[in-house]
């Protein structure tokens, strides 16, 4: 049984989550503190900046899916029994209509509990619940902010609220992935070999 060490991948993912969460607030602060520089440098490149932010967000989401898949695979390699989710199902439930509101939470809760030796796997954990609540709130706030911005032409208040939720989500998501990675280091009872060297 060879488990894949998640430490390096977790560190890279954590950095990407932080950059993704801080992208908008940094631009908003720039606009507030240096309005002339913002008008001259950022606004002319707004489309390019938005595209870059979207590409980075998609790359972060893909890496998060890879991380979930590897962490789920580690549970299989460690012969953890009675799992309701496969490594792949923890990912594809995010895109299944209706079920995407609750199944990803259940999959991550199982991943958290199984990685940390908590039985039964459907035991509610506050950190996983906080992550899921913030995930849903972040999506809704971003949608409402975009809808209001589209109607009014701009919505700085909505962007600040969305950024605050994203920063909170960032902190909780990092705690979640670090907790799972830390729990998985003891799954086989020995030190794991570094796979992502």
């Amino acid at each position: 049984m060879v488990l894949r060490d998640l430490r390096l991948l977790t560190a890279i993912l954590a950095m990407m989550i932080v950059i993704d969460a801080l992208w908008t607030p940094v631009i908003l602060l720039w606009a507030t503190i240096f309005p002339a520089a913002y008008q001259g440098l950022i606004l002319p490149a707004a489309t390019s900046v938005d595209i870059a932010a979207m590409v980075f967000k998609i790359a972060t989401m893909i890496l998060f899916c890879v991380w979930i898949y590897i962490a789920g695979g580690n549970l299989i390699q460690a012969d953890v029994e009675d799992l309701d989710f496969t490594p792949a199902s923890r990912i594809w439930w995010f895109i299944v209509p209706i079920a995407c509101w609750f199944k990803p939470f259940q999959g991550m809760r199982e991943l958290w509990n199984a990685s940390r030796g908590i039985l039964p796997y459907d035991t509610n954990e506050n950190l996983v619940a906080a992550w899921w609540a913030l995930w849903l709130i972040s999506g809704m706030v971003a949608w409402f902010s975009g809808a209001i911005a589209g109607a009014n032409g701009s919505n700085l208040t909505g962007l600040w609220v969305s950024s605050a939720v994203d920063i909170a989500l960032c902190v909780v998501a990092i705690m979640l992935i670090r907790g799972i990675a830390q729990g998985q280091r003891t799954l086989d009872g020995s030190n794991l070999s570094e796979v992502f060297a």
Side-chain angles (χ1 to χ4, degrees), residues 102-124:
F102 58 93
K103 282 298 208 183
F105 164 73
Q106 293 170 348
M108 289 300 285
R109 179 181 61 193
E110 180 182 82
L111 183 59
W112 171 271
N113 289 336
S115 296
R116 301 177 63 82
I118 299 169
L119 294 169
Y121 300 138
D122 64 352
T123 301
N124 284 328

Side-chain angles (χ1 to χ4, degrees), residues 14-194:
M15 284 190 313
M16 290 179 74
I17 290 170
V18 167
I19 291 168
D20 185 49
L22 294 180
W23 192 278
T24 301
V26 166
I27 291 174
L28 290 172
L29 280 173
W30 184 278
T32 303
I33 297 170
F34 307 109
Y38 175 78
Q39 294 283 336
L41 297 173
I42 303 296
L43 277 184
T47 302
S48 298
V49 170
D50 288 345
I51 290 170
M54 182 57 67
V55 168
F56 191 82
K57 181 176 277 306
I58 291 169
T60 303
M61 293 168 74
I62 289 169
L63 188 61
F64 186 57
C65 290
V66 168
W67 186 93
I68 291 170
Y69 187 84
I70 292 170
N74 280 348
L75 295 179
I76 303 296
Q77 287 295 318
D79 295 324
V80 175
E81 296 179 358
D82 299 325
L83 296 173
D84 291 333
F85 293 86
T86 65
S89 71
R90 282 190 183 86
I91 297 163
W92 55 258
W93 278 119
F94 278 93
I95 60 170
V96 175
I98 309 298
C100 67
W101 288 90
F102 58 93
K103 282 298 208 183
F105 164 73
Q106 293 170 348
M108 289 300 285
R109 179 181 61 193
E110 180 182 82
L111 183 59
W112 171 271
N113 289 336
S115 296
R116 301 177 63 82
I118 299 169
L119 294 169
Y121 300 138
D122 64 352
T123 301
N124 284 328
E125 287 293 321
N126 291 336
L127 184 65
V128 181
W131 167 76
W132 188 243
L134 287 167
W135 175 273
L136 293 175
I137 291 168
S138 174
M140 286 185 248
V141 168
W143 184 84
F144 282 122
S145 178
I148 292 170
N152 297 339
S154 74
N155 179 21
L156 291 181
T157 303
L159 289 173
W160 278 112
V161 171
S162 180
S163 295
V165 174
D166 286 347
I167 290 169
L169 175 59
C170 166
V171 171
V172 174
I174 290 170
M175 291 170 58
L176 181 71
I177 63 173
R178 288 185 67 207
I180 291 170
Q182 181 180 8
Q184 288 202 351
R185 280 188 233 137
T186 61
L187 281 176
D188 70 350
S190 66
N191 291 332
L192 301 175
S193 60
E194 182 73 18

